[in-house]
Amino acid sequence: MTSELLDRALVEEATKKSGLVWVGGPGGPVRALWHVWHEGAACLVGDGPGEQPLPGLADGSVAEVTVRSKDKGGRLVSWTADVVQLAPGSEAWEATVAELKGKRLNAPDGEAMPERWARECRVLRLEPTGARTALPDGSLAQPPLLTTATTREPPPPGLPHLLRRGRRDRKGRKDRKSL
């Protein structure tokens, strides 16, 4: 019983303090998602224009949530969650949207955001099931996908001159070459 309470407290405190969690649903990729901890669950909004995608997260499914440390950015705790989609206009939806609205950065529509979310987005609650997942011993990092994209090209001919312009010598005088 004590271990279960400690696990629940760890999940809640870690998730509250981290503004970003990695969430993976059945059949969907693991994605970094912003969230708000509200009434015992991580709450998300997405799948609409200008909002984060929520692939693989469907009402009634199970998701795996990994929380990062706010200080170091590494994995802190992983937990299993039941996905619950809130119905627009319901009391739970209104309370959750009020919390999400306060944390949403750079919203294109400001005060009209809840109406847009009701029309075009999904609001989800990720409710902890009480099952904490053991952290892996090794890294889960994957190599980047192969691509033909490159960024290495020779510098333009005038760039070295532009970079030298305005430099000062050790005594604080302007470089005579740039005058």
Side-chain angles (χ1 to χ4, degrees):
M1 182 68 170
T2 304
S3 175
E4 186 177 308
L5 290 175
L6 289 174
D7 285 351
R8 189 178 321 156
L10 174 62
V11 165
E12 182 172 343
E13 283 303 310
T15 309
K16 271 185 193 178
K17 291 184 180 191
S18 178
L20 189 70
V21 291
W22 281 273
V23 180
V30 176
R31 288 196 170 275
L33 303 171
W34 72 272
H35 73 286
V36 171
W37 185 266
H38 178 64
E39 295 181 356
C43 300
L44 312 165
V45 63
D47 278 351
E51 300 297 339
Q52 60 192 352
L54 304 173
L57 297 178
D59 191 26
S61 67
V62 176
E64 184 69 27
V65 180
T66 302
V67 182
R68 68 184 178 107
S69 163
K70 193 168 183 175
D71 296 338
K72 305 289 183 188
R75 280 185 308 255
L76 188 59
V77 64
S78 290
W79 48 279
T80 305
D82 290 328
V83 179
V84 177
Q85 183 168 339
L86 302 177
S90 67
E91 188 176 316
W93 188 89
E94 294 290 340
T96 301
V97 165
E99 291 293 319
L100 288 164
K101 181 181 170 190
K103 298 293 183 179
R104 173 65 163 92
L105 301 176
N106 305 322
D109 48 1
E111 293 300 316
M113 196 171 20
E115 291 83 24
R116 179 174 56 86
W117 285 351
R119 282 189 322 270
E120 304 170 353
C121 298
R122 294 188 306 144
V123 176
L124 303 178
R125 284 178 52 87
L126 303 180
E127 300 174 348
T129 62
R132 217 176 91 201
T133 309
L135 295 176
D137 291 333
S139 171
L140 296 179
Q142 296 180 5
L145 298 173
L146 294 177
T147 179
T148 58
T150 62
T151 57
R152 303 291 293 182
E153 292 181 5
L159 184 62
H161 171 71
L162 291 173
L163 292 175
R164 281 195 306 265
R165 180 188 284 173
R167 283 196 175 170
R168 298 184 178 272
D169 66 3
R170 290 182 187 164
K171 295 181 182 176
R173 297 179 298 213
K174 270 206 153 212
D175 184 9
R176 292 192 178 263
K177 290 180 187 175
S178 65
L179 295 176

